[in-house]
Coordinates of all heavy atoms in Angstrom, one line a residue:
M1415 N 0.8 -1.2 0.0 CA 0.0 0.0 0.0 C 0.9 1.2 0.0 O 1.9 1.3 0.6 CB -0.9 0.0 1.2 CG -2.0 -1.0 1.2 SD -3.3 -0.7 2.4 CE -2.6 -1.4 3.9
N1416 N 0.4 2.3 -0.7 CA 1.1 3.5 -0.7 C 0.3 4.5 0.1 O -0.8 4.3 0.5 CB 1.2 4.0 -2.1 CG 2.0 3.1 -3.0 OD1 3.0 2.6 -2.6 ND2 1.6 3.0 -4.3
G1417 N 0.9 5.7 0.4 CA 0.2 6.8 1.0 C 0.3 6.8 2.5 O 1.1 6.2 3.1
G1418 N -0.5 7.7 3.1 CA -0.4 8.0 4.5 C -1.6 7.4 5.3 O -2.5 7.0 4.8
F1419 N -1.4 7.6 6.6 CA -2.4 7.2 7.6 C -3.4 8.3 7.7 O -3.1 9.5 7.8 CB -1.7 6.9 8.9 CG -2.6 6.5 10.0 CD1 -3.2 5.2 10.0 CD2 -2.9 7.4 11.0 CE1 -4.0 4.9 11.1 CE2 -3.8 7.0 12.0 CZ -4.3 5.7 12.1
V1420 N -4.7 7.9 7.8 CA -5.8 8.9 8.0 C -6.7 8.4 9.2 O -7.0 7.2 9.2 CB -6.7 9.0 6.7 CG1 -7.8 9.9 6.9 CG2 -5.8 9.4 5.5
A1421 N -7.1 9.3 10.1 CA -7.9 8.9 11.2 C -8.9 10.0 11.4 O -8.7 11.2 11.1 CB -7.1 8.7 12.4
G1422 N -10.1 9.7 11.9 CA -11.1 10.6 12.2 C -12.2 10.1 13.2 O -12.2 8.9 13.5
V1423 N -13.0 11.0 13.6 CA -14.1 10.7 14.6 C -15.4 11.0 13.8 O -15.5 11.9 13.0 CB -14.0 11.6 15.8 CG1 -15.2 11.4 16.7 CG2 -12.7 11.4 16.5
E1424 N -16.4 10.1 14.1 CA -17.7 10.3 13.5 C -18.8 10.2 14.5 O -18.7 9.4 15.5 CB -17.9 9.4 12.3 CG -17.9 7.9 12.7 CD -18.0 7.0 11.5 OE1 -17.8 7.4 10.4 OE2 -18.3 5.8 11.7
A1425 N -19.9 10.9 14.3 CA -21.1 10.7 15.1 C -22.3 10.6 14.2 O -22.3 11.1 13.1 CB -21.3 12.0 16.0
G1426 N -23.2 9.8 14.6 CA -24.4 9.6 13.7 C -25.7 9.5 14.5 O -25.7 9.2 15.7
A1427 N -26.7 9.6 13.8 CA -28.1 9.4 14.4 C -28.9 8.8 13.3 O -28.7 9.0 12.1 CB -28.7 10.7 14.9
G1428 N -29.9 8.0 13.6 CA -30.7 7.4 12.6 C -32.0 6.9 13.1 O -32.3 7.1 14.3
V1429 N -32.8 6.4 12.2 CA -34.1 5.9 12.6 C -34.3 4.6 11.8 O -34.0 4.4 10.7 CB -35.2 6.9 12.2 CG1 -35.3 7.2 10.7 CG2 -36.6 6.4 12.7
G1430 N -34.9 3.6 12.6 CA -35.2 2.3 11.9 C -36.7 2.4 11.7 O -37.5 3.0 12.4
F1431 N -37.2 1.7 10.6 CA -38.6 1.8 10.2 C -39.4 0.6 10.8 O -40.5 0.5 10.4 CB -38.6 1.9 8.7 CG -38.0 3.1 8.2 CD1 -36.8 3.1 7.6 CD2 -38.7 4.3 8.4 CE1 -36.2 4.3 7.2 CE2 -38.1 5.5 7.9 CZ -36.9 5.5 7.3
A1432 N -38.9 -0.1 11.7 CA -39.7 -1.2 12.4 C -40.2 -0.6 13.7 O -40.4 -1.4 14.6 CB -38.8 -2.4 12.6
G1433 N -40.5 0.6 13.8 CA -40.9 1.2 15.1 C -41.8 2.4 15.0 O -43.0 2.2 15.0
P1434 N -41.3 3.6 14.9 CA -40.0 4.0 14.6 C -39.0 3.8 15.8 O -39.4 3.9 16.9 CB -40.1 5.5 14.2 CG -41.3 5.9 15.0 CD -42.2 4.7 15.1
V1435 N -37.8 3.6 15.4 CA -36.7 3.3 16.4 C -35.6 4.3 16.2 O -35.0 4.3 15.1 CB -36.2 1.9 16.4 CG1 -35.1 1.7 17.3 CG2 -37.3 0.9 16.6
F1436 N -35.3 5.2 17.1 CA -34.2 6.2 17.0 C -33.0 5.6 17.7 O -33.1 5.0 18.7 CB -34.6 7.5 17.6 CG -35.8 8.1 16.9 CD1 -37.1 7.9 17.4 CD2 -35.7 8.9 15.7 CE1 -38.2 8.5 16.8 CE2 -36.8 9.4 15.1 CZ -38.0 9.2 15.6
F1437 N -31.8 6.0 17.1 CA -30.6 5.6 17.7 C -29.5 6.6 17.4 O -29.6 7.4 16.5 CB -30.1 4.2 17.2 CG -29.9 4.1 15.8 CD1 -28.6 4.4 15.2 CD2 -30.9 3.8 14.9 CE1 -28.4 4.3 13.9 CE2 -30.7 3.7 13.5 CZ -29.4 4.0 13.0
T1438 N -28.4 6.6 18.2 CA -27.3 7.4 18.1 C -26.0 6.6 18.2 O -26.0 5.6 18.8 CB -27.2 8.6 19.1 OG1 -27.2 8.0 20.4 CG2 -28.4 9.5 19.0
T1439 N -24.9 7.1 17.5 CA -23.6 6.4 17.5 C -22.5 7.4 17.6 O -22.6 8.5 17.1 CB -23.4 5.5 16.3 OG1 -23.4 6.3 15.1 CG2 -24.4 4.4 16.2
V1440 N -21.4 7.0 18.2 CA -20.1 7.8 18.2 C -19.0 6.8 18.0 O -19.0 5.7 18.7 CB -20.0 8.5 19.6 CG1 -18.6 9.2 19.6 CG2 -21.1 9.5 19.8
G1441 N -18.1 7.1 17.1 CA -17.0 6.2 16.9 C -15.9 6.8 16.1 O -15.8 8.0 16.1
G1442 N -15.1 6.0 15.5 CA -13.9 6.5 14.7 C -13.6 5.6 13.5 O -14.1 4.5 13.4
R1443 N -12.8 6.2 12.7 CA -12.3 5.5 11.5 C -10.8 5.7 11.4 O -10.3 6.7 11.8 CB -12.9 6.0 10.2 CG -14.3 5.7 10.0 CD -14.7 6.3 8.6 NE -16.1 6.1 8.4 CZ -16.7 6.1 7.3 NH1 -16.0 6.4 6.2 NH2 -18.0 5.9 7.2
A1444 N -10.1 4.7 10.9 CA -8.7 4.8 10.7 C -8.3 4.0 9.4 O -8.9 2.9 9.2 CB -7.8 4.4 11.9
G1445 N -7.5 4.5 8.6 CA -7.1 3.8 7.4 C -5.9 4.3 6.7 O -5.2 5.2 7.2
F1446 N -5.6 3.8 5.5 CA -4.5 4.2 4.7 C -4.9 4.6 3.3 O -5.8 3.9 2.7 CB -3.5 3.0 4.6 CG -2.7 2.7 5.9 CD1 -3.2 1.8 6.8 CD2 -1.6 3.5 6.2 CE1 -2.5 1.6 8.0 CE2 -0.9 3.2 7.4 CZ -1.4 2.3 8.3
L1447 N -4.3 5.6 2.9 CA -4.5 6.0 1.5 C -3.8 5.0 0.6 O -2.7 4.6 0.8 CB -4.0 7.4 1.2 CG -4.7 8.5 2.0 CD1 -3.9 9.8 1.8 CD2 -6.1 8.7 1.5
V1448 N -4.5 4.6 -0.5 CA -4.0 3.7 -1.5 C -3.9 4.4 -2.8 O -5.0 4.8 -3.3 CB -4.8 2.4 -1.6 CG1 -4.2 1.5 -2.6 CG2 -4.9 1.7 -0.2
G1449 N -2.8 4.7 -3.3 CA -2.7 5.5 -4.5 C -3.1 7.0 -4.1 O -2.9 7.4 -3.0
E1450 N -3.7 7.7 -5.1 CA -4.1 9.0 -4.9 C -5.6 9.2 -4.6 O -6.0 10.3 -4.2 CB -3.7 9.9 -6.1 CG -2.2 10.0 -6.4 CD -1.9 10.8 -7.6 OE1 -2.8 11.5 -8.1 OE2 -0.7 10.7 -8.1
R1451 N -6.4 8.2 -4.9 CA -7.8 8.4 -4.8 C -8.6 7.4 -3.9 O -9.8 7.5 -3.8 CB -8.4 8.3 -6.2 CG -7.7 9.4 -7.1 CD -8.3 9.5 -8.4 NE -9.3 10.5 -8.8 CZ -9.4 11.7 -8.4 NH1 -8.7 12.2 -7.5 NH2 -10.3 12.5 -9.0
A1452 N -7.9 6.5 -3.3 CA -8.6 5.4 -2.5 C -8.2 5.4 -1.1 O -7.1 5.7 -0.7 CB -8.4 4.1 -3.1
L1453 N -9.1 5.1 -0.2 CA -8.9 5.0 1.2 C -9.5 3.6 1.7 O -10.7 3.3 1.5 CB -9.6 6.1 2.0 CG -9.6 6.0 3.5 CD1 -8.1 6.2 4.0 CD2 -10.5 7.0 4.1
L1454 N -8.6 2.8 2.2 CA -9.1 1.5 2.9 C -9.1 1.8 4.4 O -8.1 2.3 4.9 CB -8.1 0.4 2.6 CG -8.1 -0.2 1.2 CD1 -7.0 -1.2 1.1 CD2 -9.4 -0.8 0.8
Y1455 N -10.2 1.5 5.1 CA -10.3 1.9 6.5 C -11.0 0.8 7.3 O -11.8 0.0 6.8 CB -11.1 3.2 6.6 CG -12.5 3.2 6.1 CD1 -13.5 2.8 6.9 CD2 -12.8 3.5 4.8 CE1 -14.8 2.8 6.5 CE2 -14.1 3.5 4.3 CZ -15.1 3.1 5.2 OH -16.4 3.1 4.7
G1456 N -10.8 0.9 8.6 CA -11.5 0.2 9.6 C -12.3 1.2 10.4 O -11.9 2.3 10.5
A1457 N -13.4 0.7 10.9 CA -14.3 1.6 11.6 C -14.9 0.9 12.8 O -15.2 -0.3 12.7 CB -15.4 2.2 10.7
A1458 N -15.2 1.6 13.9 CA -15.9 1.1 15.0 C -16.7 2.2 15.7 O -16.3 3.3 15.7 CB -14.9 0.5 16.0
A1459 N -17.8 1.8 16.3 CA -18.6 2.8 17.0 C -19.4 2.1 18.1 O -19.6 0.9 18.1 CB -19.6 3.5 16.0
A1460 N -19.8 3.0 19.1 CA -20.7 2.5 20.1 C -22.0 3.3 20.0 O -21.9 4.5 19.6 CB -20.1 2.8 21.5
G1461 N -23.1 2.7 20.3 CA -24.4 3.4 20.1 C -25.3 3.1 21.2 O -25.1 2.2 22.0
Y1462 N -26.4 3.8 21.2 CA -27.5 3.7 22.2 C -28.8 3.6 21.5 O -29.1 4.5 20.6 CB -27.4 4.9 23.2 CG -28.5 4.8 24.3 CD1 -28.4 3.7 25.2 CD2 -29.5 5.7 24.4 CE1 -29.3 3.6 26.2 CE2 -30.4 5.6 25.4 CZ -30.3 4.6 26.3 OH -31.3 4.5 27.3
L1463 N -29.6 2.7 21.9 CA -31.0 2.5 21.4 C -32.0 2.7 22.6 O -32.1 1.8 23.4 CB -31.1 1.1 20.8 CG -32.3 0.7 20.1 CD1 -32.5 1.5 18.8 CD2 -32.2 -0.8 19.7
P1464 N -32.6 3.9 22.7 CA -33.3 4.2 23.9 C -34.6 3.4 24.0 O -35.1 3.2 25.2 CB -33.6 5.7 23.7 CG -33.4 6.0 22.3 CD -32.5 5.0 21.8
V1465 N -35.2 2.9 23.0 CA -36.5 2.2 23.1 C -36.3 0.9 23.9 O -37.3 0.4 24.5 CB -37.1 1.9 21.7 CG1 -36.3 0.9 20.9 CG2 -38.5 1.6 21.8
I1466 N -35.2 0.3 23.9 CA -35.0 -1.0 24.6 C -34.8 -0.9 26.1 O -35.5 -1.6 26.8 CB -33.9 -1.9 23.9 CG1 -34.4 -2.2 22.5 CG2 -33.6 -3.1 24.7 CD1 -33.4 -3.1 21.7
P1467 N -34.0 -0.1 26.7 CA -32.8 0.6 26.3 C -31.6 -0.3 26.2 O -31.5 -1.3 27.0 CB -32.6 1.7 27.3 CG -33.2 1.1 28.6 CD -34.3 0.2 28.1
A1468 N -30.7 -0.1 25.3 CA -29.6 -0.9 25.1 C -28.4 -0.2 24.4 O -28.6 0.7 23.6 CB -29.9 -2.1 24.2
F1469 N -27.2 -0.6 24.9 CA -26.0 -0.1 24.2 C -25.5 -1.1 23.2 O -25.6 -2.3 23.5 CB -24.9 0.2 25.2 CG -25.2 1.4 26.1 CD1 -25.7 1.3 27.3 CD2 -24.8 2.7 25.6 CE1 -26.0 2.4 28.1 CE2 -25.1 3.8 26.4 CZ -25.7 3.6 27.6
F1470 N -25.0 -0.7 22.0 CA -24.6 -1.6 21.0 C -23.3 -1.1 20.4 O -22.8 0.0 20.7 CB -25.7 -1.8 19.9 CG -26.0 -0.6 19.1 CD1 -25.3 -0.3 17.9 CD2 -26.9 0.4 19.6 CE1 -25.5 0.9 17.2 CE2 -27.2 1.5 18.8 CZ -26.5 1.7 17.6
Y1471 N -22.7 -2.0 19.6 CA -21.4 -1.6 18.9 C -21.5 -2.0 17.5 O -22.3 -2.9 17.1 CB -20.2 -2.4 19.6 CG -20.3 -3.8 19.4 CD1 -19.7 -4.5 18.3 CD2 -20.9 -4.6 20.4 CE1 -19.8 -5.8 18.2 CE2 -21.0 -6.0 20.3 CZ -20.4 -6.6 19.2 OH -20.5 -8.0 19.0
T1472 N -20.7 -1.4 16.7 CA -20.4 -1.8 15.3 C -18.9 -1.8 15.1 O -18.2 -1.1 15.7 CB -21.1 -0.8 14.3 OG1 -20.4 0.4 14.3 CG2 -22.5 -0.6 14.6
A1473 N -18.5 -2.7 14.2 CA -17.1 -2.8 13.9 C -17.0 -3.4 12.5 O -17.7 -4.4 12.1 CB -16.3 -3.7 14.9
G1474 N -16.1 -2.9 11.7 CA -15.9 -3.4 10.3 C -15.0 -2.5 9.5 O -14.0 -1.9 10.1
G1475 N -15.2 -2.4 8.2 CA -14.3 -1.6 7.4 C -14.9 -1.5 6.0 O -16.0 -2.0 5.7
G1476 N -14.2 -0.7 5.2 CA -14.6 -0.5 3.9 C -13.6 0.2 3.0 O -12.4 0.3 3.4
M1477 N -14.1 0.8 1.9 CA -13.2 1.5 1.0 C -14.0 2.7 0.5 O -15.2 2.6 0.2 CB -12.8 0.6 -0.2 CG -11.9 1.2 -1.2 SD -11.4 0.0 -2.4 CE -10.1 0.9 -3.2
E1478 N -13.3 3.8 0.3 CA -13.8 5.0 -0.2 C -12.9 5.5 -1.4 O -11.7 5.5 -1.2 CB -13.9 6.1 0.8 CG -14.7 7.3 0.4 CD -15.1 8.2 1.6 OE1 -14.9 7.8 2.7 OE2 -15.6 9.4 1.3
V1479 N -13.5 5.9 -2.5 CA -12.8 6.2 -3.7 C -13.2 7.6 -4.1 O -14.4 7.9 -4.3 CB -12.9 5.2 -4.8 CG1 -12.2 5.7 -6.1 CG2 -12.5 3.8 -4.4
A1480 N -12.3 8.5 -4.3 CA -12.6 9.9 -4.8 C -13.0 9.8 -6.3 O -12.3 9.2 -7.1 CB -11.4 10.8 -4.6
V1481 N -14.0 10.6 -6.6 CA -14.5 10.7 -8.0 C -14.5 12.2 -8.3 O -15.4 12.9 -7.8 CB -15.9 10.1 -8.2 CG1 -16.3 10.3 -9.7 CG2 -15.9 8.6 -7.8
G1482 N -13.6 12.7 -8.9 CA -13.5 14.2 -9.1 C -12.9 14.8 -7.8 O -12.3 14.2 -7.0
T1483 N -13.2 16.1 -7.6 CA -12.7 16.8 -6.5 C -13.7 16.9 -5.3 O -13.3 17.2 -4.2 CB -12.2 18.2 -6.9 OG1 -13.4 18.9 -7.4 CG2 -11.1 18.2 -7.8
N1484 N -15.0 16.8 -5.6 CA -16.0 17.0 -4.5 C -16.8 15.8 -4.2 O -17.7 15.8 -3.3 CB -16.9 18.1 -4.9 CG -16.2 19.4 -5.0 OD1 -15.8 19.8 -6.1 ND2 -16.1 20.1 -3.9
L1485 N -16.6 14.6 -4.8 CA -17.4 13.5 -4.6 C -16.6 12.2 -4.3 O -15.6 12.0 -5.0 CB -18.3 13.2 -5.9 CG -19.3 12.1 -5.9 CD1 -20.4 12.3 -4.8 CD2 -19.8 11.9 -7.2
S1486 N -17.0 11.4 -3.4 CA -16.4 10.1 -3.2 C -17.5 9.0 -3.1 O -18.6 9.3 -2.6 CB -15.5 10.1 -2.0 OG -16.2 10.4 -0.8
L1487 N -17.2 7.8 -3.5 CA -18.1 6.7 -3.4 C -17.5 5.7 -2.3 O -16.3 5.6 -2.2 CB -18.2 6.0 -4.7 CG -18.7 6.8 -5.9 CD1 -18.6 6.0 -7.2 CD2 -20.0 7.4 -5.7
F1488 N -18.4 5.1 -1.6 CA -17.9 4.2 -0.5 C -18.8 2.9 -0.5 O -19.9 2.9 -0.9 CB -17.9 4.9 0.8 CG -19.2 5.1 1.4 CD1 -19.8 4.1 2.2 CD2 -19.9 6.2 1.2 CE1 -21.1 4.3 2.8 CE2 -21.2 6.4 1.8 CZ -21.8 5.5 2.5
A1489 N -18.2 1.9 0.1 CA -18.8 0.6 0.4 C -18.2 0.1 1.7 O -17.0 0.2 1.8 CB -18.7 -0.4 -0.7
E1490 N -19.0 -0.4 2.6 CA -18.5 -0.9 3.8 C -19.4 -2.0 4.4 O -20.6 -2.1 4.1 CB -18.3 0.2 4.9 CG -19.5 0.8 5.5 CD -19.2 1.8 6.6 OE1 -18.2 2.6 6.4 OE2 -19.9 1.8 7.6
A1491 N -18.8 -2.8 5.2 CA -19.5 -3.9 5.9 C -19.2 -3.8 7.4 O -18.0 -3.5 7.7 CB -19.2 -5.2 5.4
R1492 N -20.2 -3.9 8.3 CA -19.9 -3.9 9.7 C -20.8 -4.9 10.4 O -21.9 -5.2 10.0 CB -20.3 -2.5 10.3 CG -19.5 -1.4 9.9 CD -19.7 -0.2 10.8 NE -19.2 1.0 10.2 CZ -18.9 2.1 11.0 NH1 -19.2 2.1 12.2 NH2 -18.4 3.2 10.4
A1493 N -20.2 -5.5 11.5 CA -20.9 -6.3 12.4 C -21.6 -5.5 13.4 O -21.0 -4.4 13.8 CB -20.0 -7.3 13.0
L1494 N -22.7 -5.8 13.9 CA -23.5 -5.0 14.9 C -23.9 -6.0 16.0 O -24.5 -7.1 15.7 CB -24.7 -4.3 14.3 CG -25.5 -3.4 15.1 CD1 -25.9 -2.2 14.3 CD2 -26.6 -4.1 15.8
G1495 N -23.6 -5.7 17.2 CA -24.0 -6.5 18.3 C -24.3 -5.7 19.6 O -24.0 -4.5 19.6
A1496 N -24.9 -6.4 20.6 CA -25.2 -5.7 21.8 C -24.1 -6.0 22.8 O -23.6 -7.1 22.9 CB -26.5 -6.2 22.4
F1497 N -23.7 -4.9 23.6 CA -22.7 -5.1 24.6 C -23.3 -6.1 25.7 O -24.4 -6.0 26.1 CB -22.4 -3.8 25.3 CG -21.5 -2.9 24.5 CD1 -21.9 -1.8 24.0 CD2 -20.1 -3.3 24.3 CE1 -21.1 -0.9 23.2 CE2 -19.3 -2.5 23.5 CZ -19.8 -1.3 23.0
G1498 N -22.6 -7.2 26.0 CA -23.0 -8.2 26.9 C -24.0 -9.2 26.3 O -24.3 -10.1 26.9
G1499 N -24.3 -9.0 25.0 CA -25.3 -9.9 24.4 C -24.7 -10.6 23.1 O -25.4 -11.3 22.5
G1500 N -23.4 -10.4 22.9 CA -22.8 -11.0 21.8 C -23.0 -10.4 20.4 O -23.6 -9.3 20.3
C1501 N -22.6 -11.1 19.4 CA -22.7 -10.6 18.0 C -23.7 -11.4 17.3 O -23.9 -12.6 17.6 CB -21.3 -10.7 17.4 SG -21.1 -10.0 15.8
C1502 N -24.5 -11.2 16.4 CA -24.2 -10.3 15.3 C -25.3 -10.2 14.3 O -26.0 -11.1 14.1 CB -23.0 -11.0 14.7 SG -21.6 -10.2 14.1
L1503 N -25.3 -9.0 13.8 CA -26.0 -8.7 12.6 C -25.0 -8.0 11.7 O -24.2 -7.2 12.1 CB -27.1 -7.7 13.0 CG -27.9 -7.1 11.9 CD1 -28.8 -8.1 11.2 CD2 -28.8 -5.9 12.4
L1504 N -25.0 -8.4 10.4 CA -24.1 -7.8 9.4 C -24.8 -6.7 8.7 O -25.9 -7.0 8.1 CB -23.6 -8.9 8.5 CG -22.6 -8.4 7.4 CD1 -21.4 -7.9 8.0 CD2 -22.4 -9.5 6.4
T1505 N -24.3 -5.6 8.6 CA -24.8 -4.5 7.8 C -23.8 -4.2 6.7 O -22.6 -4.2 6.9 CB -25.0 -3.2 8.6 OG1 -23.8 -2.7 9.1 CG2 -25.9 -3.4 9.8
I1506 N -24.4 -4.0 5.5 CA -23.6 -3.6 4.3 C -24.3 -2.4 3.7 O -25.5 -2.3 3.6 CB -23.6 -4.8 3.3 CG1 -23.0 -6.0 3.9 CG2 -22.9 -4.3 2.0 CD1 -23.1 -7.2 3.0
Q1507 N -23.4 -1.4 3.5 CA -24.0 -0.2 2.9 C -23.0 0.4 1.9 O -21.8 0.1 1.9 CB -24.3 0.9 4.0 CG -23.1 1.4 4.7 CD -23.5 2.5 5.8 OE1 -24.7 2.8 5.9 NE2 -22.6 3.0 6.5
A1508 N -23.6 1.1 0.9 CA -22.8 1.8 -0.1 C -23.5 3.2 -0.3 O -24.6 3.4 -0.1 CB -22.8 1.0 -1.4
G1509 N -22.7 4.1 -0.7 CA -23.2 5.5 -1.0 C -22.2 6.4 -1.5 O -21.1 6.0 -2.0
F1510 N -22.5 7.7 -1.3 CA -21.5 8.7 -1.7 C -21.4 9.8 -0.6 O -22.3 9.9 0.2 CB -22.0 9.4 -3.0 CG -23.3 10.2 -2.9 CD1 -23.2 11.5 -2.6 CD2 -24.5 9.6 -3.1 CE1 -24.4 12.3 -2.5 CE2 -25.7 10.3 -3.0 CZ -25.6 11.6 -2.7
N1511 N -20.3 10.5 -0.6 CA -20.1 11.6 0.3 C -19.8 12.8 -0.6 O -19.0 12.7 -1.5 CB -18.9 11.3 1.2 CG -19.2 10.3 2.3 OD1 -20.3 10.4 2.9 ND2 -18.3 9.4 2.5
W1512 N -20.4 13.9 -0.3 CA -20.2 15.2 -1.0 C -19.2 16.0 -0.2 O -19.5 16.2 1.0 CB -21.5 15.9 -1.3 CG -21.3 17.2 -2.0 CD1 -21.4 18.4 -1.4 CD2 -21.0 17.4 -3.3 NE1 -21.2 19.4 -2.4 CE2 -21.0 18.8 -3.6 CE3 -20.8 16.5 -4.4 CZ2 -20.7 19.3 -4.8 CZ3 -20.5 17.1 -5.6 CH2 -20.5 18.4 -5.8
H1513 N -18.2 16.5 -0.8 CA -17.2 17.3 -0.1 C -17.2 18.7 -0.6 O -16.5 19.0 -1.6 CB -15.8 16.7 -0.2 CG -15.7 15.2 0.1 ND1 -15.6 14.7 1.3 CD2 -15.8 14.1 -0.8 CE1 -15.6 13.4 1.3 NE2 -15.7 13.0 0.0
P1514 N -18.0 19.6 -0.1 CA -18.1 21.0 -0.7 C -16.8 21.8 -0.5 O -15.9 21.5 0.2 CB -19.2 21.6 0.1 CG -19.4 20.8 1.3 CD -18.8 19.5 1.1

């Protein structure tokens, strides 16, 4: 692999449609630049689901590729489980990030 090390913090909030169920997460990402346009990364987060109430975690990784100067595409997979309750649900997502 070429390039440098990249790390960051992320926070999120979402809603599940089997409820509605609201949740929040806080975590981080760390990875390495591969070439000039790609980032391979690992990610982990802790979250809270108030309706149960329960704390949960996610852990996994993915790849993000720059397309032009303001757009990147990503795909990632993460395991999701409850603290004290084991693992696992696998989540897979893909999308884009806009960088103004």
Side-chain angles (χ1 to χ4, degrees):
M1415 288 197 281
N1416 298 323
F1419 178 76
V1420 177
V1423 176
E1424 63 185 13
V1429 61
F1431 295 103
V1435 177
F1436 298 96
F1437 61 91
T1438 57
T1439 61
V1440 176
R1443 289 183 184 198
F1446 287 92
L1447 295 171
V1448 179
E1450 294 181 15
R1451 302 186 96 35
L1453 173 69
L1454 290 175
Y1455 63 87
Y1462 181 66
L1463 188 60
V1465 70
I1466 294 179
F1469 289 96
F1470 64 92
Y1471 65 88
T1472 68
M1477 182 174 194
E1478 188 165 352
V1479 178
V1481 179
T1483 57
N1484 295 92
L1485 181 68
S1486 61
L1487 305 175
F1488 72 90
E1490 71 176 38
R1492 291 193 193 200
L1494 184 144
F1497 286 110
C1501 182
C1502 223
L1503 173 69
L1504 178 65
T1505 64
I1506 299 172
Q1507 65 179 1
F1510 67 92
N1511 290 314
W1512 179 255
H1513 311 278

